[in-house]
Amino acid sequence: MIGKSVQDAINNQINMEFLSSYIYLSMSAHFEHENLPGFARWMHAQGEEERLHAMKLFNFINDRGGRVALQAIAQPPVEFGSPLEVFQKALEHEQKVSASINALYGLAAKEGDYAAQVMLQWFINEQVEEEKTATAIVEQLKRIGNDGPALLILDREMGARKAGGEEGGGEGGEA
Ligand code: FEO
């Protein structure tokens, strides 16, 4: 049986993962609007992956005999600026998610919830990857700028990422 404080904190994390999904979906729409279909596809896949993160936590609470309490998802921005600005925002967001996961792990440790700690280790590793991937794309965009042939090549590579959180992706890799 899961303790109330860990359960409540995981419920908050579920909301953060759904918010992440919403933000990336909105970023995908932004790139569609900007005629960058590869970036749009990458962000769409990322949004789907975040939904799966939320469901992993959702299932964990249920498996432990706890009570899932879904919360309202905040409205994401509609406009995000240049491709570099979009990925800088994505990186900042992932850094916030990492801090939240770390705090959650700290709480699970304080409460002596070993099952939650084991489950959260997956998320800790995932955040290392997510920050690494976002940082790599930010650095590439800094080199190539926000327009021109190199951006179109990167767009094509980003579009190679498979949908639904599967492995895959071009230079940009997967998050
Ligand atoms: Fe599920 Fe990108 O954090």
Side-chain angles (χ1 to χ4, degrees):
M1 183 82 184
I2 193 168
K4 186 170 181 338
S5 62
V6 173
Q7 170 191 285
D8 291 351
I10 295 178
N11 270 317
N12 290 340
Q13 189 64 38
I14 289 173
N15 185 260
M16 194 171 201
E17 300 293 341
F18 276 126
L19 174 61
S20 304
S21 182
Y22 238 38
I23 288 171
Y24 291 128
L25 205 51
S26 191
M27 286 176 171
S28 175
H30 169 86
F31 281 128
E32 287 286 358
H33 185 70
E34 296 291 315
N35 295 311
L36 289 166
F39 283 99
R41 182 180 161 87
W42 192 95
M43 281 296 180
H44 193 280
Q46 183 64 21
E48 180 59 15
E49 195 171 292
E50 297 297 351
R51 194 186 68 76
L52 296 175
H53 292 174
M55 292 312 297
K56 204 180 261 281
L57 297 162
F58 177 102
N59 291 335
F60 181 78
I61 292 181
N62 285 334
D63 289 348
R64 298 281 307 286
R67 186 71 177 93
V68 170
L70 295 178
Q71 304 162 14
I73 303 167
Q75 183 181 346
V78 176
E79 302 297 338
F80 294 93
S82 69
L84 175 59
E85 285 169 324
V86 178
F87 275 90
Q88 281 171 330
K89 282 170 188 155
L91 175 58
E92 279 166 26
H93 181 73
E94 288 305 328
Q95 287 164 341
K96 275 189 216 151
V97 174
S98 297
S100 180
I101 292 285
N102 290 343
L104 188 48
Y105 188 90
L107 177 68
K110 183 165 101 41
E111 296 292 321
D113 188 333
Y114 298 103
Q117 288 172 68
V118 170
M119 183 274 294
L120 288 167
Q121 277 168 11
W122 182 90
F123 280 89
I124 290 168
N125 288 331
E126 177 72 6
Q127 284 312 119
V128 170
E129 284 303 309
E130 300 236 309
E131 286 192 36
K132 179 183 152 191
T133 302
T135 301
I137 299 168
V138 163
E139 292 306 316
Q140 287 184 67
L141 285 167
K142 277 186 191 164
R143 278 170 182 263
I144 69 180
N146 285 310
D147 210 347
L151 183 71
L152 296 181
I153 292 167
L154 182 59
D155 182 63
R156 201 178 308 157
E157 287 184 357
M158 297 283 281
R161 179 177 178 170
K162 294 191 178 70
E166 295 170 63
E167 296 298 309
E171 274 294 295
E174 83 280 356

PDB file of all heavy atoms in Angstrom, residues 13 16-18 20-21 24 46 49-54 57 90 93-95 97-98 101 122-123 126-127 130-131 175, ligand 1:
ATOM      1  N   GLN A  13       3.063  14.581 -10.116  1.00  0.00           N
ATOM      2  CA  GLN A  13       3.989  14.287 -11.222  1.00  0.00           C
ATOM      3  C   GLN A  13       3.222  13.817 -12.460  1.00  0.00           C
ATOM      4  O   GLN A  13       3.612  14.140 -13.596  1.00  0.00           O
ATOM      5  CB  GLN A  13       5.016  13.227 -10.790  1.00  0.00           C
ATOM      6  CG  GLN A  13       6.152  13.018 -11.780  1.00  0.00           C
ATOM      7  CD  GLN A  13       7.011  14.270 -11.942  1.00  0.00           C
ATOM      8  OE1 GLN A  13       7.267  14.976 -10.967  1.00  0.00           O
ATOM      9  NE2 GLN A  13       7.436  14.558 -13.159  1.00  0.00           N
ATOM     10  N   MET A  16       2.292  16.832 -14.178  1.00  0.00           N
ATOM     11  CA  MET A  16       3.433  17.453 -14.859  1.00  0.00           C
ATOM     12  C   MET A  16       3.760  16.735 -16.165  1.00  0.00           C
ATOM     13  O   MET A  16       4.132  17.363 -17.155  1.00  0.00           O
ATOM     14  CB  MET A  16       4.648  17.460 -13.938  1.00  0.00           C
ATOM     15  CG  MET A  16       5.755  18.367 -14.415  1.00  0.00           C
ATOM     16  SD  MET A  16       7.055  18.533 -13.184  1.00  0.00           S
ATOM     17  CE  MET A  16       7.804  20.069 -13.712  1.00  0.00           C
ATOM     18  N   GLU A  17       3.614  15.406 -16.178  1.00  0.00           N
ATOM     19  CA  GLU A  17       3.893  14.649 -17.405  1.00  0.00           C
ATOM     20  C   GLU A  17       2.819  14.921 -18.468  1.00  0.00           C
ATOM     21  O   GLU A  17       3.141  15.050 -19.656  1.00  0.00           O
ATOM     22  CB  GLU A  17       3.980  13.142 -17.104  1.00  0.00           C
ATOM     23  CG  GLU A  17       5.071  12.754 -16.099  1.00  0.00           C
ATOM     24  CD  GLU A  17       6.494  12.969 -16.591  1.00  0.00           C
ATOM     25  OE1 GLU A  17       6.714  13.086 -17.804  1.00  0.00           O
ATOM     26  OE2 GLU A  17       7.406  13.022 -15.736  1.00  0.00           O
ATOM     27  N   PHE A  18       1.560  15.023 -18.033  1.00  0.00           N
ATOM     28  CA  PHE A  18       0.514  15.377 -19.001  1.00  0.00           C
ATOM     29  C   PHE A  18       0.719  16.803 -19.507  1.00  0.00           C
ATOM     30  O   PHE A  18       0.492  17.097 -20.688  1.00  0.00           O
ATOM     31  CB  PHE A  18      -0.884  15.205 -18.401  1.00  0.00           C
ATOM     32  CG  PHE A  18      -1.414  13.795 -18.471  1.00  0.00           C
ATOM     33  CD1 PHE A  18      -1.856  13.141 -17.337  1.00  0.00           C
ATOM     34  CD2 PHE A  18      -1.485  13.110 -19.683  1.00  0.00           C
ATOM     35  CE1 PHE A  18      -2.351  11.835 -17.398  1.00  0.00           C
ATOM     36  CE2 PHE A  18      -1.975  11.802 -19.760  1.00  0.00           C
ATOM     37  CZ  PHE A  18      -2.406  11.173 -18.614  1.00  0.00           C
ATOM     38  N   SER A  20       3.599  18.214 -19.819  1.00  0.00           N
ATOM     39  CA  SER A  20       4.708  18.075 -20.775  1.00  0.00           C
ATOM     40  C   SER A  20       4.171  17.626 -22.127  1.00  0.00           C
ATOM     41  O   SER A  20       4.554  18.153 -23.181  1.00  0.00           O
ATOM     42  CB  SER A  20       5.727  17.050 -20.277  1.00  0.00           C
ATOM     43  OG  SER A  20       6.198  17.380 -18.997  1.00  0.00           O
ATOM     44  N   SER A  21       3.274  16.633 -22.092  1.00  0.00           N
ATOM     45  CA  SER A  21       2.686  16.125 -23.333  1.00  0.00           C
ATOM     46  C   SER A  21       1.966  17.247 -24.083  1.00  0.00           C
ATOM     47  O   SER A  21       2.120  17.400 -25.303  1.00  0.00           O
ATOM     48  CB  SER A  21       1.716  14.988 -22.998  1.00  0.00           C
ATOM     49  OG  SER A  21       1.167  14.457 -24.175  1.00  0.00           O
ATOM     50  N   TYR A  24       4.515  19.759 -25.636  1.00  0.00           N
ATOM     51  CA  TYR A  24       5.171  19.256 -26.845  1.00  0.00           C
ATOM     52  C   TYR A  24       4.196  19.141 -28.015  1.00  0.00           C
ATOM     53  O   TYR A  24       4.572  19.365 -29.165  1.00  0.00           O
ATOM     54  CB  TYR A  24       5.866  17.923 -26.565  1.00  0.00           C
ATOM     55  CG  TYR A  24       7.062  18.079 -25.653  1.00  0.00           C
ATOM     56  CD1 TYR A  24       7.220  17.308 -24.508  1.00  0.00           C
ATOM     57  CD2 TYR A  24       8.039  19.032 -25.931  1.00  0.00           C
ATOM     58  CE1 TYR A  24       8.312  17.485 -23.661  1.00  0.00           C
ATOM     59  CE2 TYR A  24       9.130  19.223 -25.094  1.00  0.00           C
ATOM     60  CZ  TYR A  24       9.255  18.444 -23.960  1.00  0.00           C
ATOM     61  OH  TYR A  24      10.335  18.629 -23.132  1.00  0.00           O
ATOM     62  N   GLN A  46       7.384  13.157 -29.137  1.00  0.00           N
ATOM     63  CA  GLN A  46       7.775  13.490 -27.764  1.00  0.00           C
ATOM     64  C   GLN A  46       6.533  13.655 -26.876  1.00  0.00           C
ATOM     65  O   GLN A  46       6.507  13.209 -25.722  1.00  0.00           O
ATOM     66  CB  GLN A  46       8.621  14.777 -27.763  1.00  0.00           C
ATOM     67  CG  GLN A  46       9.141  15.179 -26.397  1.00  0.00           C
ATOM     68  CD  GLN A  46      10.109  14.177 -25.797  1.00  0.00           C
ATOM     69  OE1 GLN A  46      10.700  13.373 -26.533  1.00  0.00           O
ATOM     70  NE2 GLN A  46      10.251  14.191 -24.493  1.00  0.00           N
ATOM     71  N   GLU A  49       5.314  10.321 -25.968  1.00  0.00           N
ATOM     72  CA  GLU A  49       6.181   9.697 -24.965  1.00  0.00           C
ATOM     73  C   GLU A  49       5.856  10.221 -23.563  1.00  0.00           C
ATOM     74  O   GLU A  49       5.853   9.472 -22.589  1.00  0.00           O
ATOM     75  CB  GLU A  49       7.642   9.971 -25.332  1.00  0.00           C
ATOM     76  CG  GLU A  49       8.602   9.084 -24.589  1.00  0.00           C
ATOM     77  CD  GLU A  49      10.014   9.219 -25.112  1.00  0.00           C
ATOM     78  OE1 GLU A  49      10.259   8.796 -26.257  1.00  0.00           O
ATOM     79  OE2 GLU A  49      10.855   9.749 -24.390  1.00  0.00           O
ATOM     80  N   GLU A  50       5.580  11.513 -23.476  1.00  0.00           N
ATOM     81  CA  GLU A  50       5.239  12.097 -22.168  1.00  0.00           C
ATOM     82  C   GLU A  50       3.923  11.529 -21.632  1.00  0.00           C
ATOM     83  O   GLU A  50       3.764  11.326 -20.432  1.00  0.00           O
ATOM     84  CB  GLU A  50       5.154  13.623 -22.268  1.00  0.00           C
ATOM     85  CG  GLU A  50       6.455  14.295 -22.646  1.00  0.00           C
ATOM     86  CD  GLU A  50       7.566  14.106 -21.616  1.00  0.00           C
ATOM     87  OE1 GLU A  50       7.318  13.599 -20.518  1.00  0.00           O
ATOM     88  OE2 GLU A  50       8.710  14.455 -21.940  1.00  0.00           O
ATOM     89  N   ARG A  51       2.999  11.271 -22.534  1.00  0.00           N
ATOM     90  CA  ARG A  51       1.740  10.660 -22.110  1.00  0.00           C
ATOM     91  C   ARG A  51       2.016   9.262 -21.516  1.00  0.00           C
ATOM     92  O   ARG A  51       1.423   8.878 -20.511  1.00  0.00           O
ATOM     93  CB  ARG A  51       0.771  10.554 -23.295  1.00  0.00           C
ATOM     94  CG  ARG A  51      -0.662  10.247 -22.891  1.00  0.00           C
ATOM     95  CD  ARG A  51      -1.531  10.006 -24.112  1.00  0.00           C
ATOM     96  NE  ARG A  51      -1.182   8.777 -24.817  1.00  0.00           N
ATOM     97  CZ  ARG A  51      -1.502   7.547 -24.415  1.00  0.00           C
ATOM     98  NH1 ARG A  51      -2.217   7.373 -23.323  1.00  0.00           N
ATOM     99  NH2 ARG A  51      -1.123   6.490 -25.110  1.00  0.00           N
ATOM    100  N   LEU A  52       2.954   8.554 -22.135  1.00  0.00           N
ATOM    101  CA  LEU A  52       3.321   7.232 -21.609  1.00  0.00           C
ATOM    102  C   LEU A  52       4.002   7.346 -20.245  1.00  0.00           C
ATOM    103  O   LEU A  52       3.818   6.482 -19.381  1.00  0.00           O
ATOM    104  CB  LEU A  52       4.212   6.489 -22.607  1.00  0.00           C
ATOM    105  CG  LEU A  52       3.548   6.148 -23.950  1.00  0.00           C
ATOM    106  CD1 LEU A  52       4.563   5.528 -24.910  1.00  0.00           C
ATOM    107  CD2 LEU A  52       2.370   5.198 -23.768  1.00  0.00           C
ATOM    108  N   HIS A  53       4.781   8.429 -20.050  1.00  0.00           N
ATOM    109  CA  HIS A  53       5.381   8.651 -18.722  1.00  0.00           C
ATOM    110  C   HIS A  53       4.274   8.826 -17.681  1.00  0.00           C
ATOM    111  O   HIS A  53       4.336   8.252 -16.583  1.00  0.00           O
ATOM    112  CB  HIS A  53       6.253   9.916 -18.717  1.00  0.00           C
ATOM    113  CG  HIS A  53       7.491   9.810 -19.544  1.00  0.00           C
ATOM    114  ND1 HIS A  53       8.349  10.871 -19.763  1.00  0.00           N
ATOM    115  CD2 HIS A  53       8.019   8.748 -20.226  1.00  0.00           C
ATOM    116  CE1 HIS A  53       9.346  10.471 -20.529  1.00  0.00           C
ATOM    117  NE2 HIS A  53       9.167   9.191 -20.829  1.00  0.00           N
ATOM    118  N   ALA A  54       3.276   9.625 -18.034  1.00  0.00           N
ATOM    119  CA  ALA A  54       2.152   9.843 -17.103  1.00  0.00           C
ATOM    120  C   ALA A  54       1.475   8.516 -16.780  1.00  0.00           C
ATOM    121  O   ALA A  54       1.152   8.225 -15.614  1.00  0.00           O
ATOM    122  CB  ALA A  54       1.150  10.829 -17.711  1.00  0.00           C
ATOM    123  N   LEU A  57       3.229   6.263 -14.231  1.00  0.00           N
ATOM    124  CA  LEU A  57       2.977   6.690 -12.849  1.00  0.00           C
ATOM    125  C   LEU A  57       1.541   6.358 -12.431  1.00  0.00           C
ATOM    126  O   LEU A  57       1.281   5.937 -11.297  1.00  0.00           O
ATOM    127  CB  LEU A  57       3.237   8.198 -12.725  1.00  0.00           C
ATOM    128  CG  LEU A  57       4.693   8.622 -12.991  1.00  0.00           C
ATOM    129  CD1 LEU A  57       4.776  10.122 -13.283  1.00  0.00           C
ATOM    130  CD2 LEU A  57       5.589   8.262 -11.810  1.00  0.00           C
ATOM    131  N   ALA A  90      12.122  23.812 -24.396  1.00  0.00           N
ATOM    132  CA  ALA A  90      11.971  22.377 -24.106  1.00  0.00           C
ATOM    133  C   ALA A  90      13.031  21.938 -23.088  1.00  0.00           C
ATOM    134  O   ALA A  90      12.731  21.195 -22.149  1.00  0.00           O
ATOM    135  CB  ALA A  90      12.094  21.566 -25.396  1.00  0.00           C
ATOM    136  N   HIS A  93      12.209  23.209 -19.697  1.00  0.00           N
ATOM    137  CA  HIS A  93      11.098  22.424 -19.146  1.00  0.00           C
ATOM    138  C   HIS A  93      11.613  21.085 -18.612  1.00  0.00           C
ATOM    139  O   HIS A  93      11.244  20.659 -17.508  1.00  0.00           O
ATOM    140  CB  HIS A  93      10.008  22.212 -20.206  1.00  0.00           C
ATOM    141  CG  HIS A  93       8.844  21.444 -19.679  1.00  0.00           C
ATOM    142  ND1 HIS A  93       7.935  21.991 -18.796  1.00  0.00           N
ATOM    143  CD2 HIS A  93       8.462  20.162 -19.849  1.00  0.00           C
ATOM    144  CE1 HIS A  93       7.045  21.072 -18.460  1.00  0.00           C
ATOM    145  NE2 HIS A  93       7.331  19.957 -19.086  1.00  0.00           N
ATOM    146  N   GLU A  94      12.476  20.425 -19.368  1.00  0.00           N
ATOM    147  CA  GLU A  94      13.009  19.134 -18.917  1.00  0.00           C
ATOM    148  C   GLU A  94      13.830  19.280 -17.637  1.00  0.00           C
ATOM    149  O   GLU A  94      13.838  18.385 -16.791  1.00  0.00           O
ATOM    150  CB  GLU A  94      13.833  18.473 -20.018  1.00  0.00           C
ATOM    151  CG  GLU A  94      12.998  17.926 -21.163  1.00  0.00           C
ATOM    152  CD  GLU A  94      11.917  16.946 -20.709  1.00  0.00           C
ATOM    153  OE1 GLU A  94      12.123  16.224 -19.726  1.00  0.00           O
ATOM    154  OE2 GLU A  94      10.844  16.929 -21.326  1.00  0.00           O
ATOM    155  N   GLN A  95      14.522  20.419 -17.499  1.00  0.00           N
ATOM    156  CA  GLN A  95      15.289  20.648 -16.264  1.00  0.00           C
ATOM    157  C   GLN A  95      14.344  20.753 -15.067  1.00  0.00           C
ATOM    158  O   GLN A  95      14.634  20.252 -13.982  1.00  0.00           O
ATOM    159  CB  GLN A  95      16.161  21.897 -16.414  1.00  0.00           C
ATOM    160  CG  GLN A  95      17.348  21.640 -17.342  1.00  0.00           C
ATOM    161  CD  GLN A  95      18.025  22.905 -17.838  1.00  0.00           C
ATOM    162  OE1 GLN A  95      17.437  23.997 -17.806  1.00  0.00           O
ATOM    163  NE2 GLN A  95      19.253  22.776 -18.322  1.00  0.00           N
ATOM    164  N   VAL A  97      11.390  19.267 -14.931  1.00  0.00           N
ATOM    165  CA  VAL A  97      10.884  17.910 -14.705  1.00  0.00           C
ATOM    166  C   VAL A  97      11.916  17.103 -13.910  1.00  0.00           C
ATOM    167  O   VAL A  97      11.562  16.384 -12.967  1.00  0.00           O
ATOM    168  CB  VAL A  97      10.552  17.199 -16.044  1.00  0.00           C
ATOM    169  CG1 VAL A  97      10.174  15.740 -15.808  1.00  0.00           C
ATOM    170  CG2 VAL A  97       9.417  17.926 -16.760  1.00  0.00           C
ATOM    171  N   SER A  98      13.192  17.247 -14.276  1.00  0.00           N
ATOM    172  CA  SER A  98      14.254  16.519 -13.552  1.00  0.00           C
ATOM    173  C   SER A  98      14.252  16.903 -12.076  1.00  0.00           C
ATOM    174  O   SER A  98      14.355  16.029 -11.200  1.00  0.00           O
ATOM    175  CB  SER A  98      15.631  16.842 -14.140  1.00  0.00           C
ATOM    176  OG  SER A  98      15.706  16.408 -15.465  1.00  0.00           O
ATOM    177  N   ILE A 101      11.316  15.210 -10.405  1.00  0.00           N
ATOM    178  CA  ILE A 101      11.553  13.766 -10.216  1.00  0.00           C
ATOM    179  C   ILE A 101      12.539  13.535  -9.066  1.00  0.00           C
ATOM    180  O   ILE A 101      12.339  12.656  -8.226  1.00  0.00           O
ATOM    181  CB  ILE A 101      12.090  13.123 -11.525  1.00  0.00           C
ATOM    182  CG1 ILE A 101      11.029  13.120 -12.630  1.00  0.00           C
ATOM    183  CG2 ILE A 101      12.653  11.721 -11.281  1.00  0.00           C
ATOM    184  CD1 ILE A 101       9.923  12.099 -12.463  1.00  0.00           C
ATOM    185  N   TRP A 122      13.953   4.638 -13.022  1.00  0.00           N
ATOM    186  CA  TRP A 122      13.739   4.670 -14.480  1.00  0.00           C
ATOM    187  C   TRP A 122      13.590   6.120 -14.943  1.00  0.00           C
ATOM    188  O   TRP A 122      14.175   6.524 -15.959  1.00  0.00           O
ATOM    189  CB  TRP A 122      12.483   3.859 -14.851  1.00  0.00           C
ATOM    190  CG  TRP A 122      12.257   3.818 -16.326  1.00  0.00           C
ATOM    191  CD1 TRP A 122      12.733   2.882 -17.198  1.00  0.00           C
ATOM    192  CD2 TRP A 122      11.523   4.771 -17.121  1.00  0.00           C
ATOM    193  NE1 TRP A 122      12.335   3.197 -18.480  1.00  0.00           N
ATOM    194  CE2 TRP A 122      11.595   4.342 -18.465  1.00  0.00           C
ATOM    195  CE3 TRP A 122      10.822   5.938 -16.820  1.00  0.00           C
ATOM    196  CZ2 TRP A 122      10.988   5.041 -19.514  1.00  0.00           C
ATOM    197  CZ3 TRP A 122      10.216   6.640 -17.858  1.00  0.00           C
ATOM    198  CH2 TRP A 122      10.307   6.190 -19.191  1.00  0.00           C
ATOM    199  N   PHE A 123      12.826   6.905 -14.183  1.00  0.00           N
ATOM    200  CA  PHE A 123      12.595   8.304 -14.570  1.00  0.00           C
ATOM    201  C   PHE A 123      13.878   9.144 -14.429  1.00  0.00           C
ATOM    202  O   PHE A 123      14.118  10.048 -15.226  1.00  0.00           O
ATOM    203  CB  PHE A 123      11.476   8.915 -13.708  1.00  0.00           C
ATOM    204  CG  PHE A 123      10.097   8.533 -14.187  1.00  0.00           C
ATOM    205  CD1 PHE A 123       9.480   7.383 -13.721  1.00  0.00           C
ATOM    206  CD2 PHE A 123       9.417   9.315 -15.100  1.00  0.00           C
ATOM    207  CE1 PHE A 123       8.214   7.024 -14.168  1.00  0.00           C
ATOM    208  CE2 PHE A 123       8.150   8.965 -15.556  1.00  0.00           C
ATOM    209  CZ  PHE A 123       7.547   7.818 -15.091  1.00  0.00           C
ATOM    210  N   GLU A 126      15.834   8.410 -17.420  1.00  0.00           N
ATOM    211  CA  GLU A 126      15.139   9.004 -18.568  1.00  0.00           C
ATOM    212  C   GLU A 126      15.423  10.513 -18.645  1.00  0.00           C
ATOM    213  O   GLU A 126      15.651  11.060 -19.727  1.00  0.00           O
ATOM    214  CB  GLU A 126      13.630   8.743 -18.431  1.00  0.00           C
ATOM    215  CG  GLU A 126      12.755   9.349 -19.513  1.00  0.00           C
ATOM    216  CD  GLU A 126      12.884   8.651 -20.862  1.00  0.00           C
ATOM    217  OE1 GLU A 126      13.568   7.614 -20.935  1.00  0.00           O
ATOM    218  OE2 GLU A 126      12.314   9.182 -21.830  1.00  0.00           O
ATOM    219  N   GLN A 127      15.443  11.166 -17.491  1.00  0.00           N
ATOM    220  CA  GLN A 127      15.688  12.616 -17.499  1.00  0.00           C
ATOM    221  C   GLN A 127      17.109  12.943 -17.953  1.00  0.00           C
ATOM    222  O   GLN A 127      17.330  13.976 -18.601  1.00  0.00           O
ATOM    223  CB  GLN A 127      15.408  13.215 -16.115  1.00  0.00           C
ATOM    224  CG  GLN A 127      13.925  13.356 -15.814  1.00  0.00           C
ATOM    225  CD  GLN A 127      13.136  14.013 -16.933  1.00  0.00           C
ATOM    226  OE1 GLN A 127      12.224  13.407 -17.484  1.00  0.00           O
ATOM    227  NE2 GLN A 127      13.500  15.230 -17.324  1.00  0.00           N
ATOM    228  N   GLU A 130      16.745  12.826 -21.633  1.00  0.00           N
ATOM    229  CA  GLU A 130      15.927  13.919 -22.165  1.00  0.00           C
ATOM    230  C   GLU A 130      16.714  15.232 -22.191  1.00  0.00           C
ATOM    231  O   GLU A 130      16.650  15.981 -23.163  1.00  0.00           O
ATOM    232  CB  GLU A 130      14.648  14.070 -21.339  1.00  0.00           C
ATOM    233  CG  GLU A 130      13.805  12.818 -21.358  1.00  0.00           C
ATOM    234  CD  GLU A 130      12.387  13.043 -21.833  1.00  0.00           C
ATOM    235  OE1 GLU A 130      11.715  13.940 -21.327  1.00  0.00           O
ATOM    236  OE2 GLU A 130      11.975  12.300 -22.728  1.00  0.00           O
ATOM    237  N   GLU A 131      17.436  15.497 -21.115  1.00  0.00           N
ATOM    238  CA  GLU A 131      18.222  16.736 -21.070  1.00  0.00           C
ATOM    239  C   GLU A 131      19.370  16.671 -22.076  1.00  0.00           C
ATOM    240  O   GLU A 131      19.686  17.662 -22.740  1.00  0.00           O
ATOM    241  CB  GLU A 131      18.777  16.978 -19.657  1.00  0.00           C
ATOM    242  CG  GLU A 131      17.708  17.448 -18.687  1.00  0.00           C
ATOM    243  CD  GLU A 131      18.297  17.973 -17.390  1.00  0.00           C
ATOM    244  OE1 GLU A 131      19.369  18.604 -17.419  1.00  0.00           O
ATOM    245  OE2 GLU A 131      17.682  17.729 -16.337  1.00  0.00           O
ATOM    246  N   ALA A 175      14.180  11.505 -27.364  1.00  0.00           N
ATOM    247  CA  ALA A 175      14.251  11.917 -25.956  1.00  0.00           C
ATOM    248  C   ALA A 175      13.431  10.962 -25.123  1.00  0.00           C
ATOM    249  O   ALA A 175      12.602  10.247 -25.629  1.00  0.00           O
ATOM    250  CB  ALA A 175      13.732  13.321 -25.795  1.00  0.00           C
TER     251      ALA A 175
HETATM  252 FE1  FEO B   1       8.560  12.917 -18.861  1.00  0.00          FE
HETATM  253 FE2  FEO B   1      10.248  14.757 -20.581  1.00  0.00          FE
HETATM  254  O1  FEO B   1       9.701  14.291 -18.897  1.00  0.00           O
END
